[in-house]
Amino acid sequence: MLISSDLRILDSRPPGSPRRIRPLALRLLSLLGAAALLLLPALRAAEFRAGAAAVNVTPNLGTAVNGGVGPGRALHVHDDLFAKALVLDDGQTRLAWVVVDTCLVDREVFDAAKRLVVQHTGIPASHQMMSATHTHSAGAVTGAHLCEPDPTYRAWLPDRLADAVRVAVNRLAPAQIGWTSGSVPQHVFCRRLLIRPGMTYTNQLGFTGERAKMNWDSPHPADGEPSAPVDPELFVVSVQTAEGKPLAVLANYSLHYVGDVGPGHISADYFGVFADRLQQLLGADRQDPPFVALLSNGTSGDVNNVNPRERRAPQPAYTQIRRVAFDVADEALRVLEGLRHRRDVALSATTTEVRVITRRPTPTEIEQARQRVGGRSVAQLSGWLDNYARDTLLLADYPEALPVTLQVFRVGELAVAAWPGEIFASTGLELKRRSPVQPLFNIGLANGWYGYIPPPEQHALGAYETWRARTAPLDVDATVKLVDAFLGMLAGSR
Ligand SMILES: [Zn+2]
């Protein structure tokens, strides 16, 4: 309409004069050119772009390492730790993922990093999804069990997380994206086992009567069936340059970690080996800017790499890490082959806060804990009983409810749900099944950490992840509330 009326204005020859086809065609061309010039900024802004970066977050030797009941210390660096960022931009909206090689990151540290990202890049906090891989051989950032973080490392990390995003933003370039999923069932096992009927089992706290046990002492005569399913899915988001070269991969697998590292070693566990191996398989070595592979943790609170029925022969450190990482990378490569990449995807983000009741100790439990701790400092405490007594005192000061952040990213039809804790596979599978948006994958340990968040039926069975502590502070029906909230967010994000 606009063009034809403009043509009438341009074609100002007197009525009846001979038609001058060539000049009119030229005018038409110049007009289209002008229109294209006017539209160019909009077209340019609508271009899909991506950038990725990895910055080193290896701590100094001597830094506290969490993961076990007591504190570990970094004695050697086997392989470096990284904070990795992937930034996507559809011309309207920018999304940033950060996946950092560490065990746990609480909300305070992630929020501090997000504020820095807002300040330097303008990407709102709601559009930043930050998560920990859950490697158990990294600098402690958040207190858990009897391990408190090194304050210097904790204070340093937010800048590094923000730097990863800033570098990724600096590298934003025309890109294309695709996603797909595969399955790696041979490396995921439910680590919670039902106690075999008729057997009596005494747990690590000296109590009998629970209906589930951990696989820590497996194979064990009391080992029954796994208490819940595992999620073997490997989800893979692939980002390529406009020319089709690998730019970044964001993968997601629901395995706690592998852990056969050397004593006192700093290592990114299989998360790091996967990234290195995939880069090799994709022929993406030594690119400029470098290819970045991020492996995020899914819902693996009750899933680890140990087959409870198998007594493993001793093997050199890192053997199993390499085996798992290579298998996961092989599967990623298999599903990436022939994957269609697109530029026409719209991005969006939704964040909400849900208040979840905390499980606080009774006055009697507090008094018993006080007697056990007896005024000793954390350095003087050891073992499970001391740990739970101290955590009982810490939980006595918790608020009645905690604000838990839930987040959903949309990349075209794809949804990514971020959970701030160690979520069980069955809960992740439930959200995958019930989500009105498909496909969906879950990232755990994201945007904060509220310990293990088992579903009510697993609370009823008991065992480690249900024992009230900083590692499991939330109410027994927390996942019901969180799944409902996610379903509402997903329905609204369509
Ligand atoms: Zn864990």
Side-chain angles (χ1 to χ4, degrees):
M1 250 348 207
L2 179 73
I3 286 180
S4 67
S5 67
D6 278 359
L7 268 181
R8 276 198 296 276
I9 295 162
L10 268 177
D11 190 11
S12 54
R13 66 195 158 88
S17 60
R19 292 177 69 84
R20 292 176 299 155
I21 305 295
R22 256 178 82 87
L24 178 61
L26 282 176
R27 281 181 188 146
L28 180 61
L29 277 176
S30 70
L31 184 74
L32 286 173
L37 273 178
L38 280 173
L39 285 170
L40 203 55
L43 287 173
R44 225 176 233 158
E47 186 176 48
F48 185 78
R49 294 186 302 154
V55 305
N56 194 308
V57 296
T58 306
N60 295 336
L61 293 185
T63 303
V65 172
N66 55 12
V69 66
R73 292 278 156 208
L75 304 174
H76 174 67
V77 178
H78 175 270
D79 54 274
D80 277 319
L81 308 180
F82 292 94
K84 297 174 179 178
L86 171 62
V87 175
L88 303 181
D89 186 327
D90 68 359
Q92 308 279 329
T93 303
R94 224 171 244 192
L95 300 180
W97 277 273
V98 175
V99 179
V100 57
D101 290 319
T102 196
C103 189
L104 314 161
V105 182
D106 57 280
R107 183 173 173 168
E108 198 180 299
V109 171
F110 276 146
D111 281 356
K114 288 177 187 181
R115 281 194 297 274
L116 291 167
V117 173
V118 173
Q119 190 185 319
H120 291 288
T121 72
I123 301 174
S126 58
H127 290 53
Q128 304 172 39
M129 189 181 282
M130 297 190 174
S131 67
T133 59
H134 211 48
T135 172
H136 280 41
S137 42
V141 179
T142 297
H145 297 322
L146 296 173
C147 176
E148 293 305 325
D150 184 326
T152 318
Y153 187 62
R154 181 179 163 85
W156 177 75
L157 197 67
D159 275 302
R160 293 266 78 191
L161 300 180
D163 285 355
V165 178
R166 294 172 68 185
V167 177
V169 167
N170 292 342
R171 289 181 179 158
L172 279 171
Q176 47 187 344
I177 190 165
W179 53 86
T180 179
S181 92
S183 179
V184 188
Q186 69 272 31
H187 291 308
V188 279
F189 297 91
C190 181
R191 67 183 197 180
R192 294 165 50 81
L193 304 167
L194 298 174
I195 291 167
R196 194 181 281 274
M199 296 289 295
T200 307
Y201 180 75
T202 305
N203 71 18
Q204 287 73 18
L205 304 182
F207 300 131
T208 52
E210 289 189 312
R211 287 155 56 208
K213 67 180 282 292
M214 295 296 285
N215 65 3
W216 294 336
D217 53 7
S218 295
H220 186 280
D223 288 350
E225 291 302 307
S227 74
V230 294
D231 180 357
E233 184 174 44
L234 172 68
F235 206 97
V236 187
V237 178
S238 164
V239 184
Q240 294 184 338
T241 65
E243 298 78 35
K245 268 200 314 186
L247 189 154
V249 161
L250 169 63
N252 178 264
Y253 186 50
S254 293
L255 169 62
H256 220 69
Y257 68 110
V258 178
D260 62 330
V261 300
H265 282 202
I266 289 294
S267 168
D269 201 283
Y270 91 104
F271 306 96
V273 183
F274 164 83
D276 186 55
R277 177 65 173 166
L278 187 64
Q279 172 171 306
Q280 184 188 22
L281 292 175
L282 290 172
D285 287 327
R286 295 172 190 83
Q287 287 182 184
D288 185 11
F291 168 79
V292 179
L294 306 83
L295 178 54
S296 56
N297 206 317
T299 51
S300 67
D302 57 344
V303 179
N304 71 13
N305 193 231
V306 179
N307 181 349
R309 294 198 166 86
E310 203 175 78
R311 201 176 287 281
R312 233 180 241 171
Q315 49 190 354
Y318 300 100
T319 305
Q320 185 65 6
I321 281 179
R322 200 164 295 121
R323 184 177 294 140
V324 175
F326 277 40
D327 284 356
V328 177
D330 280 347
E331 178 65 355
L333 185 75
R334 187 186 72 79
V335 296
L336 283 174
E337 232 162 320
L339 178 69
R340 192 172 75 90
H341 289 71
R342 305 154 43 181
R343 286 158 212 192
D344 60 333
V345 288
L347 306 174
S348 69
T350 321
T351 300
T352 197
E353 229 165 59
V354 180
R355 285 181 68 74
V356 180
I357 305 291
T358 54
R359 296 190 290 158
R360 286 183 303 163
T362 64
T364 314
E365 288 167 333
I366 295 170
E367 189 43 43
Q368 285 167 349
R370 195 164 283 140
Q371 281 176 18
R372 177 163 189 106
V373 171
R376 288 177 294 163
S377 72
V378 63
Q380 296 168 305
L381 302 174
S382 67
W384 287 113
L385 293 173
D386 279 359
N387 168 62
Y388 283 96
R390 173 172 178 256
D391 267 19
T392 294
L393 299 181
L394 295 172
L395 256 62
D397 294 330
Y398 267 41
E400 225 173 284
L402 284 167
V404 172
T405 303
L406 303 183
Q407 193 180 34
V408 170
F409 275 10
R410 292 292 308 272
V411 180
E413 302 82 45
L414 171 67
V416 186
W419 303 74
E422 297 177 63
I423 308 300
F424 283 23
S426 54
T427 307
L429 286 167
E430 183 187 353
L431 189 63
K432 283 182 177 179
R433 191 174 59 244
R434 293 178 63 194
S435 171
V437 180
Q438 296 288 343
L440 171 142
F441 72 88
N442 300 290
I443 296 185
L445 298 139
N447 302 316
W449 177 71
Y450 300 92
Y452 292 100
I453 314 182
E457 66 275 14
Q458 295 295 323
H459 269 291
L461 295 174
Y464 166 65
E465 300 92 344
T466 70
W467 297 339
R468 187 194 58 216
R470 287 188 295 176
T471 46
L474 300 183
D475 199 22
V476 295
D477 66 356
T479 59
V480 178
K481 225 174 160 176
L482 300 183
V483 168
D484 279 351
F486 268 127
L487 291 174
M489 293 165 78
L490 287 159
S493 80
R494 277 192 290 179

